[in-house]
Amino acid sequence: MLRDMVSRQGGTTVLVPQEQRTRKRQPLYRVLLHNDPVNTRDYVVATLQEVVPQLSEQDAVAVMLAAHNTGVGLVIVCDQEPAEFYSEQLKSKGLTSTIEPET
């Protein structure tokens, strides 16, 4: 996107195009929950809500059911650092989790 800059030279106004600086967004990452044949469904839902507080109970149930029915459920899409944190927290509580770049 260009933004015009006004420059006055010898009584003449000249419009000088200038590039607008934009920050490049960091790539987002998907936190994935894999099917868990060991822990109860209630435990998985409670753990999801504990680790990712912005998940409602309904969302946590949906993630758990997706993982149960298809083998993998999408927990959240976020920046890399929080994605790594969420995945590690899920693992520390006995759940299987990975992250991958969002495509």
Side-chain angles (χ1 to χ4, degrees), residues 24-31 54 76-87 99-102:
K24 185 177 179 185
R25 276 196 53 80
Q26 295 295 318
L28 296 176
Y29 284 78
R30 299 164 29 120
V31 178
Q54 56 267 49
I76 192 170
V77 177
C78 56
D79 290 330
Q80 184 176 4
E81 190 172 326
E84 290 172 346
F85 175 77
Y86 292 141
S87 182
I99 68 168
E100 67 182 20
E102 184 183 43

Side-chain angles (χ1 to χ4, degrees), residues 14-62:
V14 179
L15 293 176
V16 181
Q18 187 178 40
E19 287 189 35
Q20 185 177 4
R21 293 183 185 190
T22 57
R23 285 190 174 182
K24 185 177 179 185
R25 276 196 53 80
Q26 295 295 318
L28 296 176
Y29 284 78
R30 299 164 29 120
V31 178
L32 303 174
L33 175 71
H34 298 270
N35 188 33
D36 182 355
V38 177
N39 295 298
T40 66
R41 292 178 182 194
D42 288 339
Y43 175 78
V44 173
V45 170
T47 302
L48 284 167
Q49 286 188 277
E50 179 184 335
V51 171
V52 187
Q54 56 267 49
L55 283 181
S56 67
E57 183 176 2
Q58 184 177 3
D59 290 339
V61 168

Side-chain angles (χ1 to χ4, degrees), residues 59-77:
D59 290 339
V61 168
V63 172
M64 177 274 297
L65 287 174
H68 178 73
N69 292 327
T70 68
V72 66
L74 175 62
V75 178
I76 192 170
V77 177

